[in-house]
Amino acid sequence: MSEPATLADYSTLLDRVVAPEGEGREILDAATRQVIGRVPVQTAEELNAAVARAKAAQPGWEALGHEKRIELLLAAADAIDANAEALARILSREQGKPLNGPNARFEVGACSAWLRSNAATVLEPEVIVDDENLHAELIYKAVGVVGAISPWNWPMMISIWQIGPSLRMGNTVVIKPSSNTPLSVLALISVINEVLPPDVLIGVSGPGSIGGRLAAHPDVAKVMFTGSTEVGRKIIESSAGNLARLTLELGGNDAGVVLPGTDAKAIAQDLFWGAFINTGQTCAALKRLYVHDSVYDEVVDALAEIAAQTPMGPGLDEDNVLGPVQNKEQFDIVKGLVEDAKTHGGRVVVGGEPAPELGELFYKATIVADVTDGVALVDEEQFGPVLPVIRYSDVDDAFARANAADVGLGSSVWSSDPEEARRHATRMQAGTVWINSHGGLHPMVPFGGTKSSGYGMEFGVEGLKSVALPQVVSGPGRKG
Ligand code: NAD
């Protein structure tokens, strides 16, 4: 196979996906608010045509077999690596996340890493019964056309989580990126499509209503949705029509509990990045932290010190590791929640206000102490660079409060004695509980939510199952 092409640079790659002058919709750089380019706004007819093309391409893609698809997924990963810097720059400008830190370059790297893992993961047939009378196996086939709908916070990586396993199992994919970050995903698709056969992977950019049409389309057999709980509910309703199978990765309000006597300094960095990764705009970020009275002040002070020192600014500046809030709507939510917390006893230890000197959508990394449950900043998902720290004195009470939320995506327990943390871990009502860290993901370790954070699992073998159609093959046993 030939070497993947390195597309010249950021502008060349961007030119391949933007709408012609005068068409489409302007997309702004999240940090500078300058126009990056125009993105196509596609119609319902164009969506229907995309699904029809994906449907027509699916049998041929499935017929290629696992080995050929593995080869093509690996070639797609190589193509991403070869174009990593251009992709990271588009992502950084459109989403706002800095190039460095656990941000844009990291995200592009995760895309190729996940594709390689999808290629390497094998979903074996399962022999369920094998006796004298019966041999029954469960095998996994392609579902058909997968409709993927992705959010704006990790637009490339989350799209890959949807695309990679789907393609691996022989499905074709029509993906609608968030209208806040379509260029990033269209650029990624353009790079991947350098190596894939036509119509196996199609991007359709447009507003939420196009996502609604995709989810309800009669020829879509499976919907992979990542986004808010509110839109997730609409997807469930739309699946009443086409009976599409659903994977719903929805919102979270992840709690962390720091147990009594924990060494604050030892955990402070990991706590900080658990909460502030991607400037807090991460589904499974730490969003409310319960800290035992015995170490409360030390933890608050250590977090505040890191927050004050961590460089924030435009993403293309190599020094920054925190960026803006991606869009004005989310910025207003973050600002409103902090203002509300201030009027409900919240003590701003650091930050607590916008940083207009950096740009319109920058909000300072903020630690709010002395808030408690019942205050909106604790009860609701802030999805921004703000962490409320709640004091507790009774461990059982802390877990009860952590579990009181109607969502349950990630969670964490922190202690200088990891075994003690492990003993408490499963008390958390969440899809994942991390010990002495928060938010770390691995392509082989299943990830998914509970309660209103959704259902279905991604990654690893479980992830392949979720984009496959199980079929039972039942025949005579050994004596037959
Ligand atoms: P969102 O629900 O507003 O949008 C997600 C996607 O759905 C976008 O592509 C949007 O255009 C589309 N959409 C909007 N209306 C639709 C409709 N009626 N039918 C179909 N599609 C529609 O979410 P967002 O603001 O992009 O992302 C932030 C939210 O996503 C947060 O709540 C966050 O916690 C959650 N999230 C969850 C995970 C996870 O893995 N569980 C990961 C990332 C983000």
Side-chain angles (χ1 to χ4, degrees):
M1 187 166 293
S2 59
E3 283 292 299
T6 302
L7 302 168
D9 55 15
Y10 161 91
S11 321
T12 316
L13 184 51
L14 199 62
D15 283 349
R16 289 161 59 128
V17 295
V18 292
E21 224 10 81
E23 285 180 29
R25 191 171 60 83
E26 279 184 349
I27 295 285
L28 303 184
D29 180 312
T32 64
R33 313 302 282 153
Q34 290 166 344
V35 176
I36 303 175
R38 304 186 69 83
V39 66
V41 179
Q42 288 174 286
T43 61
E45 290 68 37
E46 286 170 301
L47 171 77
N48 289 341
V51 174
R53 279 159 50 210
K55 186 182 177 193
Q58 193 275 327
W61 176 245
E62 187 176 5
L64 283 183
H66 283 290
E67 245 171 67
K68 184 66 186 167
R69 290 198 300 272
I70 288 170
E71 192 184 300
L72 289 169
L73 286 187
L74 292 175
D78 290 344
I80 292 171
D81 287 344
N83 294 282
E85 190 59 18
L87 287 168
R89 294 184 99 77
I90 293 174
L91 176 61
S92 179
R93 293 200 68 194
E94 182 180 53
Q95 204 287 331
K97 62 183 69 192
L99 289 171
N100 288 324
N103 293 301
R105 289 181 178 130
F106 166 85
E107 179 167 350
V108 175
C111 290
S112 59
W114 245 266
L115 277 184
R116 288 182 206 289
S117 176
N118 295 150
T121 307
V122 178
L123 177 50
E124 303 278 10
E126 293 167 38
V127 177
I128 311 294
V129 177
D130 182 27
D131 63 20
E132 302 244 302
N133 304 314
L134 178 68
H135 182 89
E137 277 189 10
L138 196 54
I139 64 162
Y140 294 94
K141 297 160 65 167
V143 184
V145 177
V146 172
I149 302 169
S150 59
W152 52 260
N153 57 339
W154 292 88
M156 289 185 179
M157 187 174 77
I158 290 175
S159 297
I160 283 289
W161 294 351
Q162 301 172 332
I163 293 167
S166 299
L167 293 180
R168 173 72 171 80
M169 292 309 297
N171 308 290
T172 51
V173 179
V174 176
I175 180 162
K176 197 215 76 76
S178 165
S179 42
N180 289 319
T181 50
L183 290 175
S184 300
V185 178
L186 294 180
L188 179 72
I189 291 172
S190 162
V191 166
I192 294 175
N193 275 338
E194 289 286 301
V195 301
L196 294 184
D199 296 340
V200 159
L201 170 62
I202 304 174
V204 176
S205 83
S209 57
I210 287 290
R213 283 178 178 274
L214 175 61
H217 197 289
D219 288 330
V220 167
K222 165 83 194 186
V223 176
M224 303 281 288
F225 174 78
T226 301
S228 61
T229 300
E230 186 194 348
V231 177
R233 291 202 167 93
K234 293 185 183 161
I235 305 276
I236 294 172
E237 282 172 20
S238 71
S239 73
N242 59 4
L243 279 180
R245 289 148 194 269
L246 305 179
T247 296
L248 300 175
E249 295 284 4
L250 309 179
N253 190 9
D254 289 12
V257 172
V258 177
L259 293 174
T262 305
D263 178 351
K265 287 238 173 321
I267 60 169
Q269 277 288 342
D270 289 334
L271 272 179
F272 178 80
W273 283 111
F276 289 84
I277 182 168
N278 199 29
T279 314
Q281 300 157 103
T282 299
C283 50
L286 180 58
K287 291 178 181 145
R288 50 198 170 110
L289 182 62
Y290 295 84
V291 181
H292 189 257
D293 208 25
S294 59
V295 291
Y296 185 83
D297 293 334
E298 289 89 328
V299 169
V300 167
D301 291 348
L303 283 170
E305 197 181 323
I306 300 170
Q309 289 167 358
T310 306
M312 174 183 278
L316 295 187
D317 180 336
E318 299 277 349
D319 292 337
N320 296 323
V321 288
L322 294 172
V325 178
Q326 201 275 332
N327 57 74
K328 179 77 167 68
E329 200 185 348
Q330 193 62 41
F331 177 88
D332 289 342
I333 291 172
V334 171
K335 186 166 164 240
L337 286 172
V338 176
E339 290 307 314
D340 176 76
K342 287 179 191 169
T343 66
H344 288 90
R347 173 170 59 94
V348 172
V349 189
V350 66
E353 58 186 6
E357 65 282 9
L358 297 175
E360 186 192 347
L361 299 183
F362 284 88
Y363 197 92
K364 291 180 182 169
T366 298
I367 302 293
V368 182
D370 302 343
V371 268
T372 190
D373 307 78
V375 176
L377 179 59
V378 177
D379 291 356
E380 294 170 23
E381 182 184 35
Q382 68 274 41
F383 220 63
V386 179
L387 180 66
V389 190
I390 306 124
R391 189 191 292 268
Y392 77 85
S393 51
D394 177 76
V395 173
D396 291 341
D397 180 47
F399 281 96
R401 286 151 79 183
N403 288 333
D406 69 342
V407 282
L409 188 56
S411 62
S412 54
V413 184
W414 303 74
S415 171
S416 296
D417 175 0
E419 283 314 309
E420 176 67 5
R422 200 178 293 276
R423 275 192 286 280
H424 288 282
T426 55
R427 301 175 74 176
M428 285 289 200
Q429 294 171 5
T432 301
V433 52
W434 287 280
I435 291 163
N436 287 345
S437 68
H438 197 114
L441 300 176
H442 185 287
M444 287 306 293
V445 178
F447 174 69
T450 60
K451 302 200 264 187
S452 296
S453 292
Y455 50 75
M457 295 213 111
E458 296 186 285
F459 310 167
V461 175
E462 291 307 315
L464 293 186
K465 283 184 186 173
S466 78
V467 286
L469 203 59
Q471 182 177 47
V472 173
V473 181
S474 187
R478 283 191 291 264
K479 123 181 136 184

